[in-house]
PDB file of all heavy atoms in Angstrom:
ATOM      1  N   LEU A   1      10.183  16.236   2.068  1.00  0.00           N
ATOM      2  CA  LEU A   1       9.539  15.699   0.910  1.00  0.00           C
ATOM      3  C   LEU A   1       9.985  14.201   0.735  1.00  0.00           C
ATOM      4  O   LEU A   1       9.118  13.366   0.405  1.00  0.00           O
ATOM      5  CB  LEU A   1       9.958  16.424  -0.349  1.00  0.00           C
ATOM      6  CG  LEU A   1       9.281  17.843  -0.502  1.00  0.00           C
ATOM      7  CD1 LEU A   1       9.895  18.566  -1.690  1.00  0.00           C
ATOM      8  CD2 LEU A   1       7.813  17.705  -0.669  1.00  0.00           C
ATOM      9  N   LYS A   2      11.258  13.905   1.059  1.00  0.00           N
ATOM     10  CA  LYS A   2      11.670  12.486   1.027  1.00  0.00           C
ATOM     11  C   LYS A   2      10.929  11.697   2.096  1.00  0.00           C
ATOM     12  O   LYS A   2      10.507  10.553   1.831  1.00  0.00           O
ATOM     13  CB  LYS A   2      13.179  12.403   1.255  1.00  0.00           C
ATOM     14  CG  LYS A   2      13.973  12.789   0.000  1.00  0.00           C
ATOM     15  CD  LYS A   2      15.478  12.662   0.350  1.00  0.00           C
ATOM     16  CE  LYS A   2      16.260  13.050  -0.860  1.00  0.00           C
ATOM     17  NZ  LYS A   2      17.798  12.987  -0.635  1.00  0.00           N
ATOM     18  N   GLU A   3      10.796  12.215   3.268  1.00  0.00           N
ATOM     19  CA  GLU A   3      10.087  11.548   4.330  1.00  0.00           C
ATOM     20  C   GLU A   3       8.585  11.299   3.921  1.00  0.00           C
ATOM     21  O   GLU A   3       8.041  10.199   4.128  1.00  0.00           O
ATOM     22  CB  GLU A   3      10.096  12.253   5.648  1.00  0.00           C
ATOM     23  CG  GLU A   3      11.460  12.278   6.306  1.00  0.00           C
ATOM     24  CD  GLU A   3      11.645  13.184   7.503  1.00  0.00           C
ATOM     25  OE1 GLU A   3      10.614  13.910   7.752  1.00  0.00           O
ATOM     26  OE2 GLU A   3      12.696  13.227   8.069  1.00  0.00           O
ATOM     27  N   GLU A   4       7.941  12.313   3.341  1.00  0.00           N
ATOM     28  CA  GLU A   4       6.598  12.208   2.902  1.00  0.00           C
ATOM     29  C   GLU A   4       6.479  11.187   1.787  1.00  0.00           C
ATOM     30  O   GLU A   4       5.517  10.375   1.766  1.00  0.00           O
ATOM     31  CB  GLU A   4       6.048  13.559   2.419  1.00  0.00           C
ATOM     32  CG  GLU A   4       4.637  13.535   1.875  1.00  0.00           C
ATOM     33  CD  GLU A   4       3.569  13.326   2.919  1.00  0.00           C
ATOM     34  OE1 GLU A   4       3.960  13.268   4.134  1.00  0.00           O
ATOM     35  OE2 GLU A   4       2.435  13.238   2.524  1.00  0.00           O
ATOM     36  N   ARG A   5       7.414  11.120   0.831  1.00  0.00           N
ATOM     37  CA  ARG A   5       7.403  10.186  -0.276  1.00  0.00           C
ATOM     38  C   ARG A   5       7.506   8.754   0.290  1.00  0.00           C
ATOM     39  O   ARG A   5       6.728   7.879  -0.079  1.00  0.00           O
ATOM     40  CB  ARG A   5       8.588  10.453  -1.261  1.00  0.00           C
ATOM     41  CG  ARG A   5       8.546   9.462  -2.412  1.00  0.00           C
ATOM     42  CD  ARG A   5       9.809   9.490  -3.175  1.00  0.00           C
ATOM     43  NE  ARG A   5      10.930   8.996  -2.384  1.00  0.00           N
ATOM     44  CZ  ARG A   5      12.118   9.265  -2.585  1.00  0.00           C
ATOM     45  NH1 ARG A   5      12.473  10.063  -3.613  1.00  0.00           N
ATOM     46  NH2 ARG A   5      13.053   8.766  -1.831  1.00  0.00           N
ATOM     47  N   ASN A   6       8.391   8.589   1.295  1.00  0.00           N
ATOM     48  CA  ASN A   6       8.561   7.260   1.865  1.00  0.00           C
ATOM     49  C   ASN A   6       7.283   6.813   2.545  1.00  0.00           C
ATOM     50  O   ASN A   6       6.887   5.658   2.442  1.00  0.00           O
ATOM     51  CB  ASN A   6       9.724   7.170   2.835  1.00  0.00           C
ATOM     52  CG  ASN A   6      11.092   7.320   2.141  1.00  0.00           C
ATOM     53  OD1 ASN A   6      11.237   7.073   0.897  1.00  0.00           O
ATOM     54  ND2 ASN A   6      12.102   7.785   2.821  1.00  0.00           N
ATOM     55  N   ARG A   7       6.668   7.749   3.344  1.00  0.00           N
ATOM     56  CA  ARG A   7       5.412   7.433   3.969  1.00  0.00           C
ATOM     57  C   ARG A   7       4.371   7.039   3.006  1.00  0.00           C
ATOM     58  O   ARG A   7       3.613   6.061   3.202  1.00  0.00           O
ATOM     59  CB  ARG A   7       4.931   8.647   4.817  1.00  0.00           C
ATOM     60  CG  ARG A   7       3.743   8.385   5.705  1.00  0.00           C
ATOM     61  CD  ARG A   7       3.299   9.590   6.450  1.00  0.00           C
ATOM     62  NE  ARG A   7       2.701  10.600   5.496  1.00  0.00           N
ATOM     63  CZ  ARG A   7       1.442  10.432   4.975  1.00  0.00           C
ATOM     64  NH1 ARG A   7       0.696   9.440   5.330  1.00  0.00           N
ATOM     65  NH2 ARG A   7       0.911  11.338   4.194  1.00  0.00           N
ATOM     66  N   LEU A   8       4.242   7.817   1.868  1.00  0.00           N
ATOM     67  CA  LEU A   8       3.224   7.498   0.894  1.00  0.00           C
ATOM     68  C   LEU A   8       3.515   6.217   0.161  1.00  0.00           C
ATOM     69  O   LEU A   8       2.604   5.378  -0.126  1.00  0.00           O
ATOM     70  CB  LEU A   8       3.096   8.669  -0.134  1.00  0.00           C
ATOM     71  CG  LEU A   8       2.481   9.937   0.447  1.00  0.00           C
ATOM     72  CD1 LEU A   8       2.634  11.096  -0.552  1.00  0.00           C
ATOM     73  CD2 LEU A   8       1.075   9.750   0.851  1.00  0.00           C
ATOM     74  N   GLN A   9       4.753   5.895  -0.033  1.00  0.00           N
ATOM     75  CA  GLN A   9       5.058   4.623  -0.690  1.00  0.00           C
ATOM     76  C   GLN A   9       4.673   3.474   0.206  1.00  0.00           C
ATOM     77  O   GLN A   9       4.142   2.453  -0.214  1.00  0.00           O
ATOM     78  CB  GLN A   9       6.608   4.534  -1.025  1.00  0.00           C
ATOM     79  CG  GLN A   9       6.949   5.365  -2.204  1.00  0.00           C
ATOM     80  CD  GLN A   9       8.461   5.334  -2.509  1.00  0.00           C
ATOM     81  OE1 GLN A   9       9.271   5.172  -1.600  1.00  0.00           O
ATOM     82  NE2 GLN A   9       8.902   5.536  -3.761  1.00  0.00           N
ATOM     83  N   GLN A  10       4.970   3.633   1.539  1.00  0.00           N
ATOM     84  CA  GLN A  10       4.615   2.516   2.462  1.00  0.00           C
ATOM     85  C   GLN A  10       3.068   2.397   2.548  1.00  0.00           C
ATOM     86  O   GLN A  10       2.554   1.336   2.614  1.00  0.00           O
ATOM     87  CB  GLN A  10       5.157   2.933   3.856  1.00  0.00           C
ATOM     88  CG  GLN A  10       4.923   1.734   4.915  1.00  0.00           C
ATOM     89  CD  GLN A  10       5.557   0.493   4.469  1.00  0.00           C
ATOM     90  OE1 GLN A  10       6.772   0.445   4.105  1.00  0.00           O
ATOM     91  NE2 GLN A  10       4.872  -0.633   4.520  1.00  0.00           N
ATOM     92  N   LEU A  11       2.347   3.573   2.586  1.00  0.00           N
ATOM     93  CA  LEU A  11       0.898   3.468   2.559  1.00  0.00           C
ATOM     94  C   LEU A  11       0.393   2.807   1.285  1.00  0.00           C
ATOM     95  O   LEU A  11      -0.523   1.909   1.326  1.00  0.00           O
ATOM     96  CB  LEU A  11       0.317   4.888   2.626  1.00  0.00           C
ATOM     97  CG  LEU A  11      -1.155   5.055   2.727  1.00  0.00           C
ATOM     98  CD1 LEU A  11      -1.726   4.400   3.913  1.00  0.00           C
ATOM     99  CD2 LEU A  11      -1.535   6.563   2.739  1.00  0.00           C
ATOM    100  N   HIS A  12       0.971   3.139   0.233  1.00  0.00           N
ATOM    101  CA  HIS A  12       0.595   2.453  -1.141  1.00  0.00           C
ATOM    102  C   HIS A  12       0.858   0.965  -1.078  1.00  0.00           C
ATOM    103  O   HIS A  12       0.015   0.157  -1.456  1.00  0.00           O
ATOM    104  CB  HIS A  12       1.422   3.065  -2.266  1.00  0.00           C
ATOM    105  CG  HIS A  12       1.214   2.476  -3.572  1.00  0.00           C
ATOM    106  ND1 HIS A  12       0.083   2.664  -4.353  1.00  0.00           N
ATOM    107  CD2 HIS A  12       1.958   1.653  -4.215  1.00  0.00           C
ATOM    108  CE1 HIS A  12       0.172   1.882  -5.396  1.00  0.00           C
ATOM    109  NE2 HIS A  12       1.281   1.350  -5.393  1.00  0.00           N
ATOM    110  N   ASN A  13       1.989   0.575  -0.495  1.00  0.00           N
ATOM    111  CA  ASN A  13       2.242  -0.899  -0.450  1.00  0.00           C
ATOM    112  C   ASN A  13       1.302  -1.587   0.465  1.00  0.00           C
ATOM    113  O   ASN A  13       0.856  -2.650   0.193  1.00  0.00           O
ATOM    114  CB  ASN A  13       3.681  -1.074   0.038  1.00  0.00           C
ATOM    115  CG  ASN A  13       4.752  -0.646  -1.012  1.00  0.00           C
ATOM    116  OD1 ASN A  13       4.450  -0.662  -2.216  1.00  0.00           O
ATOM    117  ND2 ASN A  13       5.976  -0.365  -0.565  1.00  0.00           N
ATOM    118  N   ASP A  14       1.005  -0.972   1.648  1.00  0.00           N
ATOM    119  CA  ASP A  14       0.078  -1.566   2.595  1.00  0.00           C
ATOM    120  C   ASP A  14      -1.327  -1.654   1.978  1.00  0.00           C
ATOM    121  O   ASP A  14      -1.953  -2.745   2.124  1.00  0.00           O
ATOM    122  CB  ASP A  14      -0.011  -0.693   3.831  1.00  0.00           C
ATOM    123  CG  ASP A  14       1.268  -0.713   4.683  1.00  0.00           C
ATOM    124  OD1 ASP A  14       2.183  -1.592   4.381  1.00  0.00           O
ATOM    125  OD2 ASP A  14       1.427   0.179   5.559  1.00  0.00           O
ATOM    126  N   THR A  15      -1.686  -0.641   1.240  1.00  0.00           N
ATOM    127  CA  THR A  15      -3.058  -0.650   0.598  1.00  0.00           C
ATOM    128  C   THR A  15      -3.091  -1.720  -0.505  1.00  0.00           C
ATOM    129  O   THR A  15      -4.048  -2.498  -0.567  1.00  0.00           O
ATOM    130  CB  THR A  15      -3.334   0.686  -0.069  1.00  0.00           C
ATOM    131  OG1 THR A  15      -3.283   1.690   0.967  1.00  0.00           O
ATOM    132  CG2 THR A  15      -4.720   0.702  -0.706  1.00  0.00           C
ATOM    133  N   ARG A  16      -2.020  -1.878  -1.246  1.00  0.00           N
ATOM    134  CA  ARG A  16      -1.948  -2.877  -2.324  1.00  0.00           C
ATOM    135  C   ARG A  16      -2.038  -4.366  -1.654  1.00  0.00           C
ATOM    136  O   ARG A  16      -2.820  -5.149  -2.165  1.00  0.00           O
ATOM    137  CB  ARG A  16      -0.656  -2.825  -3.044  1.00  0.00           C
ATOM    138  CG  ARG A  16      -0.493  -3.862  -4.160  1.00  0.00           C
ATOM    139  CD  ARG A  16       0.829  -3.828  -4.879  1.00  0.00           C
ATOM    140  NE  ARG A  16       1.130  -2.542  -5.477  1.00  0.00           N
ATOM    141  CZ  ARG A  16       0.846  -2.225  -6.759  1.00  0.00           C
ATOM    142  NH1 ARG A  16       0.372  -3.223  -7.488  1.00  0.00           N
ATOM    143  NH2 ARG A  16       1.090  -1.057  -7.267  1.00  0.00           N
ATOM    144  N   LYS A  17      -1.334  -4.544  -0.525  1.00  0.00           N
ATOM    145  CA  LYS A  17      -1.448  -5.781   0.133  1.00  0.00           C
ATOM    146  C   LYS A  17      -2.847  -6.127   0.599  1.00  0.00           C
ATOM    147  O   LYS A  17      -3.344  -7.254   0.476  1.00  0.00           O
ATOM    148  CB  LYS A  17      -0.465  -5.848   1.279  1.00  0.00           C
ATOM    149  CG  LYS A  17       0.962  -5.929   0.881  1.00  0.00           C
ATOM    150  CD  LYS A  17       1.852  -5.910   2.182  1.00  0.00           C
ATOM    151  CE  LYS A  17       3.388  -5.750   1.753  1.00  0.00           C
ATOM    152  NZ  LYS A  17       4.233  -5.617   2.889  1.00  0.00           N
ATOM    153  N   ARG A  18      -3.540  -5.065   1.178  1.00  0.00           N
ATOM    154  CA  ARG A  18      -4.920  -5.331   1.627  1.00  0.00           C
ATOM    155  C   ARG A  18      -5.875  -5.606   0.443  1.00  0.00           C
ATOM    156  O   ARG A  18      -6.685  -6.500   0.573  1.00  0.00           O
ATOM    157  CB  ARG A  18      -5.391  -4.083   2.417  1.00  0.00           C
ATOM    158  CG  ARG A  18      -4.715  -3.937   3.788  1.00  0.00           C
ATOM    159  CD  ARG A  18      -5.523  -3.050   4.692  1.00  0.00           C
ATOM    160  NE  ARG A  18      -5.790  -1.737   4.163  1.00  0.00           N
ATOM    161  CZ  ARG A  18      -5.037  -0.683   4.235  1.00  0.00           C
ATOM    162  NH1 ARG A  18      -3.926  -0.761   4.933  1.00  0.00           N
ATOM    163  NH2 ARG A  18      -5.417   0.513   3.777  1.00  0.00           N
ATOM    164  N   VAL A  19      -5.720  -4.891  -0.617  1.00  0.00           N
ATOM    165  CA  VAL A  19      -6.549  -5.100  -1.774  1.00  0.00           C
ATOM    166  C   VAL A  19      -6.297  -6.477  -2.395  1.00  0.00           C
ATOM    167  O   VAL A  19      -7.233  -7.290  -2.649  1.00  0.00           O
ATOM    168  CB  VAL A  19      -6.342  -4.015  -2.886  1.00  0.00           C
ATOM    169  CG1 VAL A  19      -6.936  -4.406  -4.159  1.00  0.00           C
ATOM    170  CG2 VAL A  19      -6.855  -2.678  -2.390  1.00  0.00           C
ATOM    171  N   ASP A  20      -5.010  -6.891  -2.441  1.00  0.00           N
ATOM    172  CA  ASP A  20      -4.758  -8.268  -2.904  1.00  0.00           C
ATOM    173  C   ASP A  20      -5.340  -9.285  -2.085  1.00  0.00           C
ATOM    174  O   ASP A  20      -5.832 -10.314  -2.533  1.00  0.00           O
ATOM    175  CB  ASP A  20      -3.117  -8.412  -3.023  1.00  0.00           C
ATOM    176  CG  ASP A  20      -2.530  -7.680  -4.180  1.00  0.00           C
ATOM    177  OD1 ASP A  20      -3.279  -7.213  -5.145  1.00  0.00           O
ATOM    178  OD2 ASP A  20      -1.340  -7.555  -4.159  1.00  0.00           O
ATOM    179  N   ALA A  21      -5.251  -9.139  -0.727  1.00  0.00           N
ATOM    180  CA  ALA A  21      -5.866 -10.083   0.202  1.00  0.00           C
ATOM    181  C   ALA A  21      -7.349 -10.127   0.034  1.00  0.00           C
ATOM    182  O   ALA A  21      -7.888 -11.187   0.111  1.00  0.00           O
ATOM    183  CB  ALA A  21      -5.517  -9.655   1.624  1.00  0.00           C
ATOM    184  N   MET A  22      -7.950  -9.006  -0.181  1.00  0.00           N
ATOM    185  CA  MET A  22      -9.504  -8.996  -0.433  1.00  0.00           C
ATOM    186  C   MET A  22      -9.876  -9.738  -1.683  1.00  0.00           C
ATOM    187  O   MET A  22     -10.719 -10.490  -1.656  1.00  0.00           O
ATOM    188  CB  MET A  22      -9.947  -7.548  -0.500  1.00  0.00           C
ATOM    189  CG  MET A  22     -10.150  -6.863   0.821  1.00  0.00           C
ATOM    190  SD  MET A  22     -11.028  -5.318   0.731  1.00  0.00           S
ATOM    191  CE  MET A  22      -9.646  -4.172   0.606  1.00  0.00           C
ATOM    192  N   ILE A  23      -9.024  -9.530  -2.788  1.00  0.00           N
ATOM    193  CA  ILE A  23      -9.298 -10.184  -4.054  1.00  0.00           C
ATOM    194  C   ILE A  23      -9.107 -11.713  -3.807  1.00  0.00           C
ATOM    195  O   ILE A  23      -9.977 -12.471  -4.308  1.00  0.00           O
ATOM    196  CB  ILE A  23      -8.354  -9.623  -5.112  1.00  0.00           C
ATOM    197  CG1 ILE A  23      -8.703  -8.247  -5.462  1.00  0.00           C
ATOM    198  CG2 ILE A  23      -8.394 -10.490  -6.281  1.00  0.00           C
ATOM    199  CD1 ILE A  23      -7.752  -7.581  -6.401  1.00  0.00           C
ATOM    200  N   THR A  24      -8.106 -12.092  -3.072  1.00  0.00           N
ATOM    201  CA  THR A  24      -7.881 -13.538  -2.850  1.00  0.00           C
ATOM    202  C   THR A  24      -9.056 -14.120  -2.119  1.00  0.00           C
ATOM    203  O   THR A  24      -9.579 -15.188  -2.437  1.00  0.00           O
ATOM    204  CB  THR A  24      -6.598 -13.743  -2.095  1.00  0.00           C
ATOM    205  OG1 THR A  24      -5.442 -13.211  -2.869  1.00  0.00           O
ATOM    206  CG2 THR A  24      -6.351 -15.164  -1.769  1.00  0.00           C
ATOM    207  N   ARG A  25      -9.555 -13.395  -1.090  1.00  0.00           N
ATOM    208  CA  ARG A  25     -10.711 -13.934  -0.332  1.00  0.00           C
ATOM    209  C   ARG A  25     -11.981 -13.980  -1.129  1.00  0.00           C
ATOM    210  O   ARG A  25     -12.726 -14.881  -1.054  1.00  0.00           O
ATOM    211  CB  ARG A  25     -10.978 -13.022   0.885  1.00  0.00           C
ATOM    212  CG  ARG A  25     -10.062 -13.352   2.101  1.00  0.00           C
ATOM    213  CD  ARG A  25     -10.383 -12.514   3.288  1.00  0.00           C
ATOM    214  NE  ARG A  25      -9.393 -11.428   3.286  1.00  0.00           N
ATOM    215  CZ  ARG A  25      -9.511 -10.226   3.797  1.00  0.00           C
ATOM    216  NH1 ARG A  25     -10.736  -9.906   4.339  1.00  0.00           N
ATOM    217  NH2 ARG A  25      -8.682  -9.343   3.710  1.00  0.00           N
ATOM    218  N   LEU A  26     -12.162 -12.955  -2.001  1.00  0.00           N
ATOM    219  CA  LEU A  26     -13.369 -12.955  -2.827  1.00  0.00           C
ATOM    220  C   LEU A  26     -13.231 -14.132  -3.827  1.00  0.00           C
ATOM    221  O   LEU A  26     -14.326 -14.780  -4.104  1.00  0.00           O
ATOM    222  CB  LEU A  26     -13.458 -11.680  -3.586  1.00  0.00           C
ATOM    223  CG  LEU A  26     -13.911 -10.468  -2.769  1.00  0.00           C
ATOM    224  CD1 LEU A  26     -13.775  -9.132  -3.626  1.00  0.00           C
ATOM    225  CD2 LEU A  26     -15.329 -10.595  -2.292  1.00  0.00           C
ATOM    226  N   LYS A  27     -12.113 -14.376  -4.333  1.00  0.00           N
ATOM    227  CA  LYS A  27     -11.991 -15.504  -5.301  1.00  0.00           C
ATOM    228  C   LYS A  27     -12.210 -16.794  -4.581  1.00  0.00           C
ATOM    229  O   LYS A  27     -12.827 -17.763  -5.130  1.00  0.00           O
ATOM    230  CB  LYS A  27     -10.575 -15.471  -5.927  1.00  0.00           C
ATOM    231  CG  LYS A  27     -10.385 -14.534  -6.976  1.00  0.00           C
ATOM    232  CD  LYS A  27      -9.004 -14.545  -7.660  1.00  0.00           C
ATOM    233  CE  LYS A  27      -8.800 -13.516  -8.667  1.00  0.00           C
ATOM    234  NZ  LYS A  27      -7.495 -13.576  -9.274  1.00  0.00           N
TER     235      LYS A  27
END
């Protein structure tokens, strides 16, 4: 469960970075 949580947190962080980059490009 700890490994899965860490994986999901990393996925969340990666997704957040991609979304932020898209927003910046759109702006």
